[in-house]
Amino acid sequence: MEGNTATIRDVAKQAGVSASTVSRILNYDDTLSVSDETRRTVLEIVEKLQYKKKVKKNSSSNDKIAIIQWHSSKEEMNDLYYLQIQYGIENKALGMGIAVSTLSFSDLISVHMSRYNGIIAIGKFDDAEITELASFNLPLVFIGQNYLPYGYDSVQSDFISPISWIIRHFIENDIDKIGMIAGQEQTGTKHNTVYDPRAITFKKELSNLNIFNPDFMFEGSYGPDSGFKLMEQAINKLDKNLPSGFIIGSDSMAIGALKALKQHSINVPKRVSLISFNDVSIAKYADPSLSTIHVYTEIMGERAFNLLIERIHNSKKIPESIIIGSKFIKRESSI
């Protein structure tokens, strides 16, 4: 085990499937014939086993919190980052004896929100969605971006500083041809594209070093399929000029990129080093295991929960925007 990481056998036992099935699910093997329900069960068990469950405390509180996820259930399975944050909130609530319900943003039209005392909204929401959430007139905290300009408490991770760390790491290891596979998301209404701010930092940092090459940048949706397609594009377009180092927007995208590199017999990390983001559980089970930026999702969830409880009991509280630091975890996918 790595820290609190469960073994594949632990996961297989709880899920009622074989260890090889767990391994293939964690590596997003699309040739594996299992139901979406089984796939989701395995991924959820892997994530939940990372958390030390807190003993429930007796509480006189009647508070009930709504967690609103902007991703659909299917999208969550492709990018476990938001699911990790959700579990962090749930674990904190469990420790305080406060009830929590998880809802999808698309479900709000059929939910009586008056039964809740407050909302924690996880994701990236546009103006129309923020207005809809505000219309419930409940204490509201966001996780994912800075919503202070809208007058709301928010918690986010520092995704910008790690770009500098990774670039410096590559250059110190004689890698100056650096590429990026960046993610793009859409708000829940699908009306607005959310561009990855790390791409802007990447361009700026490499331009300052006079080593930026626009041909080395690829952007697409998050998830393993997109990671595979974008790395395929890079390999076919660049051939022998393929960068020796890639920054990848998420671990699941990196899983897909690894698959593309393997199919082209390109060695990782000897020929191409990969460093991704989030450090969700699949990063440890990848082959090779992923070097990644560890995002403290549990702490993000806890901070947001605390902010919401404070606001429930003090509506005049000054809004806060909290940025949580991150950490570079070196594993087998990078030199």
Side-chain angles (χ1 to χ4, degrees), residues 66-69 119-123 125 133 140-144 147:
I67 300 174
I68 297 179
Q69 285 275 13
I119 297 170
I120 299 178
I122 306 175
F125 300 90
L133 290 168
L140 175 60
V141 175
F142 289 90
I143 305 180
Y147 290 88

Side-chain angles (χ1 to χ4, degrees), residues 62-256:
N62 293 317
D63 292 337
K64 186 173 184 181
I65 306 304
I67 300 174
I68 297 179
Q69 285 275 13
W70 75 314
H71 267 179
S72 67
S73 177
K74 183 176 181 180
E75 288 171 324
E76 279 182 4
M77 292 301 96
N78 280 336
D79 188 355
L80 300 171
Y81 167 68
Y82 295 109
L83 194 62
Q84 276 196 339
I85 295 173
Q86 174 186 317
Y87 290 156
I89 299 168
E90 291 175 350
N91 201 29
K92 177 71 173 181
L94 177 65
M96 294 184 66
I98 293 177
V100 171
S101 295
T102 302
L103 311 168
S104 170
F105 185 85
S106 60
D107 295 335
L108 294 183
I109 192 171
S110 60
V111 176
H112 297 291
M113 294 302 294
S114 58
R115 71 184 66 174
Y116 298 102
N117 301 92
I119 297 170
I120 299 178
I122 306 175
K124 300 180 177 71
F125 300 90
D126 61 25
D127 289 356
E129 292 164 336
I130 294 169
T131 298
E132 182 174 348
L133 290 168
S135 71
F136 298 117
N137 294 315
L138 293 171
L140 175 60
V141 175
F142 289 90
I143 305 180
Q145 292 191 128
N146 178 18
Y147 290 88
L148 199 58
Y150 295 90
Y152 294 106
D153 297 302
S154 60
V155 179
Q156 59 185 316
S157 179
D158 176 16
F159 280 141
I160 303 303
S161 300
I163 296 296
S164 299
W165 304 343
I166 298 170
I167 290 171
R168 183 165 62 248
H169 174 79
F170 280 149
I171 291 175
E172 288 174 352
N173 286 277
D174 299 321
I175 294 176
D176 59 6
K177 288 172 59 177
I178 305 171
M180 184 175 198
I181 292 179
Q184 290 181 352
E185 295 174 297
Q186 288 186 313
T187 56
T189 57
K190 309 302 181 186
H191 293 159
N192 293 294
T193 298
V194 181
Y195 294 96
D196 191 339
R198 291 169 292 184
I200 297 172
T201 303
F202 175 80
K203 294 177 186 178
K204 181 180 178 180
E205 293 272 342
L206 292 189
S207 295
N208 289 340
L209 294 168
N210 294 316
I211 56 173
F212 174 66
N213 186 333
D215 290 338
F216 293 170
M217 281 204 68
F218 300 85
E219 295 179 286
S221 60
Y222 287 94
D225 291 343
S226 176
F228 176 83
K229 292 175 183 177
L230 294 173
M231 184 57 80
E232 276 272 293
Q233 290 177 23
I235 293 167
N236 293 331
K237 175 181 177 181
L238 301 171
D239 195 21
K240 293 181 180 180
N241 198 36
L242 187 71
S244 299
F246 270 94
I247 300 174
I248 302 185
S250 72
D251 299 323
S252 60
M253 293 181 85
I255 294 287

